[in-house]
Amino acid sequence: MKRITVDLGARSYPIYIAAGCLNQIGDIVSSHQLERKIALITDENVGPLYSDAVEAALKASGFQVSVYVLPAGEASKSLETADKLYEYLIRDRFDRKSTIISLGGGVIGDVGGFIAATFMRGIRFVQIPTTLLAQTDSSVGGKVGINHRFGKNLIGAFYQPCFVLIDPQVLETLPLRERRAGMAEVVKYGLIADETFFDFLAGHLEDVIQLAPSGDVEGVIETCCSIKARVVQQDEREGGLRQILNFGHTAGHALEALTNFEFYRHGEAVAMGMRCMTWLSWQSDFISEADFSRIDALLQRFPQPSPQPVFESNEILEKIYSDKKVFDGKLNVVLLSKIGEALVKKNLDPKAMLAALEWMNRSSDEIKQYYR
Ligand code: NAD
Ligand code: GLY
């Protein structure tokens, strides 16, 4: 079993990665000296596939398990869901020594972690991520939260798990669109932190998505988790360096928000956002035209859902300025200084952002016409 440590002093924890490791969960929870009572939170897609195996392994190791199944999808990251979960935990006599295990994608990880962070002022938390996005990004680093009707992820905390258990085999049941979308975050890690990894992904994009042996999805997950651990160790609460993990998220998040978080998968929108910021990195003379072309060729391979809605660049810019990442009316964005290295550009001129959005709109029209 591979093991990566997220080194955060008293809040340090391991990420375990191995094909088929799901049924070792009982032994691992025991080795972390967690108490007997466990709430297993999952969703209605993942539950029927994997919760019996997890529950059985935990029970075989002497744990008492209650399973809570939420509707699948973003709507479960809500105050209403949180309220229901608090009610069940209180009704079922969970206490300060109990543990919550999230078994699912980023939605279940975020909402389960939020409940763990807040119930009885914080109880133990374990992540078992089951999407490519969650295994390579959202389960690591301790961002947990729910949405508010005024915006996404507006309520939350930094709350690190006791450990993360990643079984790449569960990706076999993950729909192809979800795997492709998750792959955008994977490419992000190559772009911001590791050129060799980027080269590997450029040559093996489809192999990873199809879970072919040559795609080495386990190695890919390990690389992403190692990079994320390194970044989070240096800047747990996003005071500076951690912002590089938001590469492509400025425009991406605006596109998601303009479509009520229902049209794009997160990674699809991030792929568009990364194209936009790669173009701006080239226009700002941080990267060469050759590097821009290499990166853009890879990002164009991320299919977008259709028919794609059209938003004026001004409309997207306005949405960007309403995001929680804009402080004091100042827009900080992540650009590439080369393939494998990112920088935070503070107080970007809105005109530069607008030009990048205009380019993005123009160029996605061209791509559509090319494929027509
Ligand atoms: P998701 O949790 O909605 O999962 C996507 C779909 O796949 C769901 O329908 C789910 O039921 C299904 N699914 C999950 N695993 C499966 C499996 N193994 N087999 C079959 N079906 C499976 O979406 P996601 O893309 O994993 O996560 C998106 C969420 O993550 C967003 O809410 C986003 O805000 C959050 N996020 C959080 C962080 C963070 O650092 N905390 C980072 C990035 C994204
Ligand atoms: N996904 C961005 C972060 O964890 O900071």
Side-chain angles (χ1 to χ4, degrees):
M1 175 121 52
K2 287 175 179 146
R3 182 191 164 117
I4 297 162
T5 301
V6 184
D7 192 352
L8 291 168
R11 294 180 309 293
S12 298
Y13 55 96
I15 303 165
Y16 303 108
I17 308 171
C21 67
L22 216 57
N23 52 23
Q24 292 177 42
I25 181 71
D27 293 342
I28 299 174
V29 171
S30 300
S31 73
H32 281 263
Q33 278 122 31
L34 300 180
E35 301 273 335
R36 221 165 60 86
K37 231 169 139 51
I38 291 180
L40 181 62
I41 300 180
T42 187
D43 75 23
E44 63 199 4
N45 292 334
V46 179
L49 293 168
Y50 302 112
S51 76
D52 280 357
V54 171
E55 188 181 357
L58 287 166
K59 284 185 170 162
S61 295
F63 294 98
Q64 189 191 320
V65 187
S66 305
V67 183
Y68 304 101
V69 183
L70 305 180
E74 192 66 31
S76 281
K77 271 177 63 172
S78 67
L79 281 165
E80 292 73 29
T81 306
D83 184 54
K84 273 197 198 120
L85 284 170
Y86 292 135
E87 187 184 321
Y88 297 150
L89 294 179
I90 296 164
R91 178 196 68 192
D92 296 341
R93 298 184 182 286
F94 279 83
D95 60 34
R96 292 170 63 184
K97 293 192 165 172
S98 307
T99 299
I100 285 179
I101 299 184
S102 278
L103 172 70
V107 164
I108 294 301
D110 281 9
V111 70
F114 177 74
I115 300 298
T118 48
F119 184 70
M120 307 245 168
R121 297 201 180 88
I123 62 174
R124 305 281 185 81
F125 176 48
V126 169
Q127 290 262 26
I128 310 183
T130 62
T131 61
L132 186 58
L133 177 136
Q135 295 191 343
T136 54
D137 191 0
S138 66
S139 66
V140 176
K143 278 190 184 175
V144 297
I146 54 175
N147 304 326
H148 187 271
R149 66 180 179 285
F150 289 154
K152 198 166 136 82
N153 295 329
L154 287 185
I155 305 167
F158 289 96
Y159 196 69
Q160 305 294 343
C162 300
F163 66 87
V164 182
L165 182 69
I166 299 179
D167 182 348
Q169 253 171 28
V170 303
L171 299 177
E172 281 166 20
T173 56
L174 186 67
L176 208 52
R177 182 177 175 193
E178 298 293 343
R179 278 191 240 155
R180 283 191 199 285
M183 198 60 187
E185 295 275 11
V186 171
V187 168
K188 176 191 81 178
Y189 283 105
L191 287 173
I192 62 169
D194 187 337
E195 183 171 10
T196 311
F197 186 46
F198 174 83
D199 288 341
F200 172 80
L201 295 172
H204 294 85
L205 192 75
E206 209 49 37
D207 298 338
V208 184
I209 291 167
Q210 300 294 346
L211 308 176
S214 51
D216 184 21
V217 74
E218 195 170 318
V220 164
I221 294 167
E222 186 186 6
T223 302
C224 294
C225 289
S226 303
I227 294 171
K228 182 146 188 189
R230 223 163 51 224
V231 172
V232 169
Q233 277 161 200
Q234 293 173 69
D235 177 21
E236 185 182 3
R237 298 177 72 91
E238 204 167 301
L241 178 72
R242 189 169 177 163
Q243 290 172 43
I244 66 170
L245 299 176
N246 299 328
F247 177 60
H249 286 58
T250 309
H253 188 269
L255 290 172
E256 284 184 277
L258 284 166
T259 49
N260 295 323
F261 299 95
E262 282 164 1
F263 183 73
Y264 295 102
R265 300 302 302 144
H266 180 66
E268 291 165 351
V270 167
M272 302 256 281
M274 290 195 292
R275 290 193 67 217
C276 196
M277 300 325 275
T278 303
W279 181 85
L280 193 54
S281 307
W282 166 42
Q283 293 298 306
S284 312
D285 282 334
F286 289 128
I287 60 170
S288 65
E289 183 170 7
D291 277 352
F292 161 72
S293 301
R294 260 176 84 200
I295 299 168
D296 199 53
L298 181 58
L299 293 176
Q300 283 190 27
R301 288 166 63 190
F302 284 87
Q304 294 298 324
S306 70
Q308 238 175 309
V310 179
F311 296 105
E312 294 299 325
S313 315
N314 268 320
E315 211 177 341
I316 307 175
L317 189 68
E318 210 171 285
K319 204 40 129 182
I320 287 173
Y321 270 87
S322 69
D323 190 78
K324 72 177 186 305
K325 291 191 188 86
V326 173
F327 305 103
D328 219 5
K330 295 195 172 81
L331 179 61
N332 298 341
V333 297
V334 183
L335 296 176
L336 298 176
S337 42
K338 64 186 195 80
I339 297 182
E341 204 176 274
L343 59 92
V344 178
K345 165 86 185 132
K346 292 207 167 122
N347 200 6
L348 181 77
D349 184 344
K351 283 195 205 118
M353 191 70 214
L354 194 65
L357 293 169
E358 274 163 5
W359 171 80
M360 181 182 78
N361 273 344
R362 253 193 339 267
S363 103
S364 44
D365 264 0
E366 279 161 22
I367 294 170
K368 265 186 263 162
Q369 273 166 24
Y370 177 75
Y371 281 113
R372 204 168 277 148

